[in-house]
Amino acid sequence: MKKHLTLTLVCLFALVAFACPALAADSSKGAANAKIFGMLTLIPPVVAILLAFLTKNVVLSLFLGVFSGCFMLDLKGFDIYSAVIDGFLRLSNEILGSLADGWNAGIVLQCLAIGGLIALVSKMGGAKAIADALSKRAKTPRSSQFATWVMGLFIFFDDYANSLTVGPIMRPVTDKMKVSREKLAFIIDATAAPIAGIALISTWVAYEVGLIRDGYQAIGVQANAYGIFVETIPYRFYNIFILLFIVFTIWFMREFGPMHAAEVRARKEGKVLADDATPMAAEESSSLEPVEGVVPSVWNAIIPIGTLIVAAFLGFYFNGYNAIDDETLLAAINASPLSFTSMRECFGASDASVVLFQAALVASLVAMGMAVMKKALPIKDAIETWITGVKSMNITAVILLLAWSLSGVIKELGTATYLVSVLSETLPPFLLPTIIFILGSIISFATGTSYGTMGILMPLAIPLSFALSPDPNFVILNVGSVLTGAIFGDHCSPISDTTILSSMGSACDHIDHVRTQLFYSIAVAVIAIVAGYIPAGLGMPVYLTLPAGIILTGLVVRFLGKPVEA
């Protein structure tokens, strides 16, 4: 394997050197580099994704993916030696730049702080108590999976909070019921971005509404951007179908593809992880058994986790309120601070990464105070326990930093620009929603970012759809396909931060999570195209396309899936 890996990388670098002898003409401009590099802009994401599947080593794969992009940007003529040295220096700067970004730093700190919080809750017996309480109601694999799905819907306001909260709480329950970690990771991932992307109030709304507003202004149409966003929800076929797909797999107790093998392994052999799996949780997190002599209490989990959720809600509101500089909007919020509109605007303007870190820190302090006051842990041990939990998240932080670095290199190379230029050919109007959905999927899968994909495609999709048909519903349909395609590709991508966080929250092997989820995601995406975007593009009303897609989703699970015996 190592021999083939080395040979492959040498061939790739040779291809770059001979195909483009002067590649680094203007490495700071993605559009210019897209013309210079052409198809070679795909090398970094392809290297990262293929090696991740071949080696099952995410850190190595991401590192080599980033380095291949840096090598390309610094290659001048045939001076490979200088390109290797300069490429390594560029790679280190990319990682430093990723960590220096305020949003990224907030996400890393949020992960670390939540790791510390979960460690304290576990040491106080809170996690065990809530697992025992849920086990009394979730007495079967079916009910434990359904409870996970419901909890995922409950934390609708942010995909990161969802991934980092649901997994640690439900993992002991699903493990006891012999539900595979792969299935747990899938349920968590499929109720993170898909629900946050269509929630009326979430950390996604402001960004999505802002893109819609800018797109409509570009075609000279004054429209209520939030109203347009709401109207796209019935056309968010993938989001809706994937949420119901989970329910159908739970109800019928049927699976297909690699997920079926994982579930059979868990039920029959009691192995929630494969023998060769490397779960995304350090050894520290597996040693956090409750302190001897402490009586487990659900309140030791409910109060800290409840503090996390309440602090996040309050933080979203006040952080967003302080970020708004529109005097007219502030006056409207002050006049009715608890109205739906006020909450929507404040949530949308908030910095989710900072708020969630602050909320996790507050919840950690509450948990630490409870441990000391209840004499479960002395202050010294409580701090050490929190630090142990933080250390268990180190691998997640490393992977996130490399994934963000790869995203930065891909942006600099102009990968997304190249994909748009190649794939956006002249097509019949009824196929435009489908093509936009597929294009968004490819870009977000290759780049690992749904936000970036939305930002790339929305300015193109709205003017193009308006030019092909001025029908408002047709434009709304295409807006929905942009938002949904971006989420689908991001949902599948092994370099997506939400996919990584879902693996971490469920303590699942990351590649096993991606491999098992990919079959389900693609199946639902095909249903979204066949029963959703093509009929809708032909003019079929949404009150027919949605039920048809839901029925088809159920039929796929029922007849393609194989039974998983309890």
Side-chain angles (χ1 to χ4, degrees):
M1 173 65 76
K2 291 181 179 178
K3 186 176 180 181
H4 292 305
L5 177 60
T6 304
L7 181 60
T8 301
L9 291 175
V10 169
C11 290
L12 281 173
F13 292 148
L15 172 64
V16 172
F18 282 99
C20 300
L23 292 177
D26 190 359
S27 61
S28 63
K29 295 183 179 179
N33 280 334
K35 293 180 180 179
I36 297 170
F37 288 93
M39 186 179 291
L40 295 179
T41 61
L42 299 174
I43 287 178
V46 168
V47 166
I49 292 168
L50 285 182
L51 290 183
F53 282 103
L54 290 173
T55 66
K56 298 194 74 175
N57 189 317
V58 181
V59 173
L60 174 64
S61 303
L62 285 171
F63 179 87
L64 292 175
V66 177
F67 180 74
S68 65
C70 294
F71 176 87
M72 292 169 65
L73 288 167
D74 284 303
L75 181 61
K76 298 177 178 65
F78 296 96
D79 190 357
I80 295 178
Y81 175 78
S82 296
V84 170
I85 301 300
D86 293 340
F88 179 79
L89 295 175
R90 180 187 289 269
L91 181 147
S92 62
N93 288 330
E94 286 286 348
I95 295 175
L96 287 171
S98 296
L99 186 58
D101 180 84
W103 173 273
N104 293 350
I107 296 300
V108 170
L109 291 172
Q110 170 202 156
C111 291
L112 299 179
I114 287 182
L117 170 65
I118 297 302
L120 285 168
V121 169
S122 299
K123 271 293 187 182
M124 291 191 295
K128 184 178 186 303
I130 203 165
D132 291 342
L134 286 171
S135 296
K136 294 176 183 178
R137 295 184 178 275
K139 296 181 179 179
T140 64
R142 176 182 282 122
S143 56
S144 64
Q145 291 178 63
F146 185 73
T148 306
W149 181 78
V150 171
M151 189 171 291
L153 296 186
F154 179 71
I155 307 178
F156 61 88
F157 53 88
D158 185 76
D159 52 332
Y160 294 151
N162 184 308
S163 300
L164 292 168
T165 305
V166 176
I169 292 176
M170 293 305 302
R171 188 169 64 233
V173 181
T174 54
D175 282 358
K176 186 176 182 180
M177 293 298 108
K178 297 181 180 180
V179 176
S180 67
R181 294 280 178 85
E182 292 93 330
K183 185 62 183 294
L184 175 62
F186 168 66
I187 297 174
I188 293 170
D189 207 352
T191 54
I195 189 65
I198 60 175
L200 297 178
I201 295 177
S202 76
T203 54
W204 287 56
V205 170
Y207 182 70
E208 293 175 313
V209 170
L211 291 176
I212 294 169
R213 183 188 61 243
D214 294 343
Y216 272 83
Q217 287 177 351
I219 60 175
V221 175
Q222 295 297 322
N224 182 336
Y226 185 79
I228 298 295
F229 165 77
V230 173
E231 290 184 67
T232 67
I233 292 176
Y235 297 108
R236 310 287 285 278
F237 297 116
Y238 178 80
N239 299 50
I240 296 168
F241 295 161
I242 194 71
L243 291 170
L244 294 174
F245 180 90
I246 301 169
V247 177
F248 286 128
T249 62
I250 295 170
W251 179 259
F252 292 125
M253 291 303 290
R254 287 174 176 266
E255 313 285 349
F256 59 85
M259 189 70 80
H260 180 263
E263 283 290 87
V264 169
R265 180 201 70 227
R267 298 288 200 285
K268 291 189 174 181
E269 302 177 34
K271 296 179 180 178
V272 295
L273 287 164
D275 291 333
D276 60 346
T278 305
M280 280 193 64
E283 293 180 3
E284 289 87 353
S285 64
S286 60
S287 62
L288 294 169
E289 292 298 321
V291 178
E292 187 176 350
V294 172
V295 179
S297 169
V298 294
W299 293 107
N300 290 346
I302 291 174
I303 292 176
I305 299 298
T307 300
L308 174 69
I309 295 172
V310 172
F313 260 93
L314 292 174
F316 286 138
Y317 185 92
F318 289 107
N319 182 276
Y321 177 86
N322 291 325
I324 294 172
D325 55 10
D326 186 332
E327 294 297 332
T328 304
L329 181 56
L330 284 174
I333 293 173
N334 290 331
S336 183
L338 297 179
S339 68
F340 177 80
T341 301
S342 298
M343 294 182 68
R344 181 194 74 208
E345 295 294 339
C346 290
F347 269 57
S350 66
D351 186 333
S353 66
V354 172
V355 169
L356 289 170
F357 166 59
Q358 293 169 339
L361 204 55
V362 170
S364 296
L365 292 173
V366 169
M368 208 173 292
M370 288 179 64
V372 174
M373 290 177 63
K374 288 191 169 188
K375 298 183 178 180
L377 293 167
I379 184 64
K380 178 176 177 292
D381 290 352
I383 293 173
E384 288 180 354
T385 297
W386 189 83
I387 292 173
T388 299
V390 167
K391 288 164 62 179
S392 72
M393 298 293 104
N394 284 345
I395 184 64
T396 303
V398 170
I399 291 174
L400 283 173
L401 285 173
L402 287 171
W404 288 324
S405 300
L406 179 61
S407 179
V409 169
I410 286 170
K411 184 177 180 181
E412 200 165 352
L413 282 170
T415 303
T417 304
Y418 168 74
L419 287 172
V420 170
S421 66
V422 170
L423 299 175
S424 57
E425 301 291 337
T426 303
L427 293 162
F430 81 91
L431 284 179
L432 183 62
T434 299
I435 296 304
I436 289 175
F437 175 79
I438 294 172
L439 183 58
S441 304
I442 294 171
I443 294 173
S444 57
F445 183 85
T447 60
T449 168
S450 53
Y451 272 28
T453 303
M454 292 174 187
I456 291 164
L457 285 183
M458 195 67 78
L460 302 173
I462 292 178
L464 182 57
S465 57
F466 184 77
L468 291 175
S469 173
D471 179 7
N473 289 329
F474 183 73
V475 180
I476 290 170
L477 169 62
N478 284 283
V479 170
S481 68
V482 170
L483 301 176
T484 310
I487 287 176
F488 160 58
D490 181 74
H491 187 209
C492 298
S493 178
I495 60 176
S496 161
D497 46 6
T498 49
T499 308
I500 293 166
L501 292 178
S502 296
S503 297
M504 186 274 289
S506 59
C508 179
D509 182 286
H510 183 56
I511 301 305
D512 286 345
H513 167 44
V514 175
R515 181 173 54 84
T516 52
Q517 176 170 268
L518 195 59
F519 278 75
Y520 284 0
S521 300
I522 291 175
V524 175
V526 171
I527 295 170
I529 292 170
V530 172
Y533 289 114
I534 290 178
L538 290 169
M540 185 179 291
V542 72
Y543 59 79
L544 293 179
T545 56
L546 261 182
I550 292 170
I551 292 170
L552 184 57
T553 302
L555 291 174
V556 165
V557 174
R558 177 62 181 81
F559 292 105
L560 285 186
K562 299 176 183 178
V564 179
E565 296 180 5

